[in-house]
Amino acid sequence: MSVYQRMGKLVRPHWPVLALAVACMLVVAGATAGLAWMVKPLLDDIFFKALQEPERARKMMIYLPLAFLALQVVKGGAIYTQTVLMVKVGQRIVAQLREAIYEHLQDLSLSFYDHTRTGLLISRMTNDVSLIQESVSSALAGAFRDLFSIAALVVLVFYREWRLAIIASIVFPLAMIPFIKFGQWTRRISTRTQQAVAEMANQLEETITGARVVKAFTAEEQEISRFTEVSRRILALTLKEEKVRALSSPFMESLGAVAIAFIIGYGGYRVIAGQSSPGTFFSFMTALILLYDPLKKLARSQTILQRGVAAAVRVFELLDTPPQIMDRPGAGELAPLKKTIEFKAVHFSYGREEVLKGIDLKIKAGQIVAIAGRSGGGKTTLVNLLPRFYELEKGEILIDGKDIREVTLKSLRQQIGLVTQQTILFDDTIRANIAYGRPRATTREIEAAASAAYAHDFILELPQGYETMIGEQGVRLSGGQRQRLAIARALLKDAPILILDEATSSLDTESEYYVQKAIDNLMVGRTTLVIAHRLSTIYSADRIVVLAGGMIAEEGRHEELMSLQGEYHKLYEMQFNSD
Ligand code: ADP
Ligand code: MG
């Protein structure tokens, strides 16, 4: 399907409103031509016949101004109605696109977010969507109205003076050539401008969220020069675009003037020779002059339309990005874990190099399995495969013998609680953040989860307790407090499988103490996969799995692994010794 067909598909459901708008446009076109038509009786019947037929002239003097007024009022009303209707259609399409994009973003897999920049997505959602709206509701509507007006006026022009009209109709099509060229020209420039604007938005987003890093590396100047480069590029492109646009109307006007000069000469000759009346000539001229405005607007709406089409191409491209991880047709519900989680010959790569090269791992329900290994060894990758954040390449993961790709994502992910090193809290109340996975949880349940997570006491000390806002406008929490809220959230979700990915790694010893106690509460009765830098967590695990070179190098309990004097022993010497 082409972009135009797809835009058409967006517009089609609104056809009743559009039909009404088109009717208004026809009224506008008719009224415009009517105004030009009236010039002939005005001149011939009032001014030139005032002496020969004073009676008739006097009558016309009453009717014509009234008719003029009536036409103008009807035209105004029709323009108003049509504008409102078209804005309605345009804005509905905007809302529809916005919601479709957001829904699609929720479906897209994590791997999509790994290689897509935030600024770019925000620009699709805001900039591009409003460009499409502009092109539908102002440009497209205007273009139709202008086309109808042009048609009505052209009919009048031929009716009044077909000889002159032929001259005009040779010159005006010639003016269409530069008009089309100008359109292509601005379209090319505007595509480049949009890219530069998206780039700028992205840098802005990056350096605002990463302000701390920028300062820490004293990279301000580097960022400023990067920003200045894009900003100057946008400036140059915008100036160029505006120049082309500014050039287009004087250029077209000059072409028009050539035609008008011809017409005045020839038309004047015909009136003097008695072959035409002054009223006919001026009615013709009025129609011709009235033609200029819709023609000019048509040229302008052409560029807006082009911009809208370019934006639509980008938006559709995003909407067409397939979510890589979806429910298979006929996927069933996953029953709560009873017996085992099994990784069978699991291979995985993010791109070229394999991160996991054949992992076999069987975890019994209720067990705590610790995963150890060097940084970058694939620990996070391994645990991320279980909730299907990424899709494995070869092998399979089975829960109670059922392949996780054969069950719904929802039923799978509902069984997994996840606490990672970076806690994401939303700009909402403490209560809403804890209840994120279960919005209908009761106050008692929320408080019980907070207590078990060692968070209840500090929450009560906050200005509005559980109703305190977190985030930009709210309180600032320490790393340990944030982590305990994340644990409370996981407790409330009460999933049978738990993944802890370095949940305490970024904390100082004191906050780590409470977080660790909270984690101990969280692990009770759950099957846990834990990645930890802390010795005590590893100690208490039923089994330790050591990842090296994308494979399981060693596995066993702490003492067994120590006595092997292998990879685990080395890790222990490097990391845990400092505990
Ligand atoms: P660990 O958790 O053991 O430190 P990870 O599983 O995070 O290791 O990373 C394993 C390897 O995969 C590393 O080489 C890392 O660079 C790479 N990697 C991790 N996440 C991504 C990603 N989203 N895209 C591409 N490569 C990744
Ligand atoms: Mg990791």
Side-chain angles (χ1 to χ4, degrees), residues 2 28 38 44 54 87 91 102 144 185 244 248 372 405 424 485 550:
S2 76
V28 174
M38 272 173 53
D44 288 349
V87 166
Q91 293 297 345
Y102 191 76
F144 271 112
W185 201 355
V244 172
S248 86
R405 285 168 295 190
I424 305 292
L485 288 184

Side-chain angles (χ1 to χ4, degrees), residues 103-117:
E103 230 169 84
H104 190 67
L105 285 179
Q106 296 296 333
D107 281 343
L108 286 169
S109 330
L110 284 180
S111 57
F112 168 80
Y113 289 99
D114 285 345
H115 54 74
T116 310
R117 302 181 304 175

Side-chain angles (χ1 to χ4, degrees), residues 114 350 355 374-382 390 501-502:
D114 285 345
Y350 289 102
V355 177
R374 296 177 192 216
S375 168
K379 303 182 294 296
T380 301
T381 306
L382 180 68
Y390 296 89
D501 188 356
E502 314 225 24

Side-chain angles (χ1 to χ4, degrees), residues 400-466:
D400 288 339
K402 196 144 196 177
D403 192 318
I404 56 169
R405 285 168 295 190
E406 300 295 341
V407 296
T408 62
L409 280 171
K410 191 162 182 178
S411 68
L412 171 68
R413 288 179 185 165
Q414 268 169 351
Q415 290 213 32
I416 301 172
L418 179 67
V419 181
T420 59
Q421 188 171 356
Q422 311 97 335
T423 322
I424 305 292
L425 296 176
F426 295 97
D427 190 5
D428 204 337
T429 61
I430 299 258
R431 171 192 303 279
N433 267 286
I434 295 177
Y436 189 67
R438 261 182 65 194
R440 273 188 283 279
T442 63
T443 300
R444 187 181 299 190
E445 288 170 321
I446 290 171
E447 291 188 5
S451 296
Y454 288 82
H456 186 66
D457 292 339
F458 86 76
I459 293 173
L460 287 185
E461 279 166 27
L462 294 172
Q464 278 103 38
Y466 280 85

Side-chain angles (χ1 to χ4, degrees), residues 40 81 85 107 171 183 293 298 331 335 375 391 398 434 536 566:
K40 183 178 159 68
T81 315
L85 291 176
D107 281 343
V171 181
D293 189 53
L298 202 59
S375 168
E391 200 79 294
L398 307 169
I434 295 177
S536 72

Side-chain angles (χ1 to χ4, degrees), residues 62 81 83 173 215 219 244-245 258 262 301 339 345 369 379 421 464 473 487 504 510 539:
I62 297 168
T81 315
T83 309
K215 292 199 190 303
V244 172
R245 208 168 295 156
V258 172
F262 257 106
S301 59
K339 294 194 210 85
V369 173
K379 303 182 294 296
Q421 188 171 356
Q464 278 103 38
Q473 270 85 50
I487 292 166
T504 58
E510 196 193 325
Y539 261 147

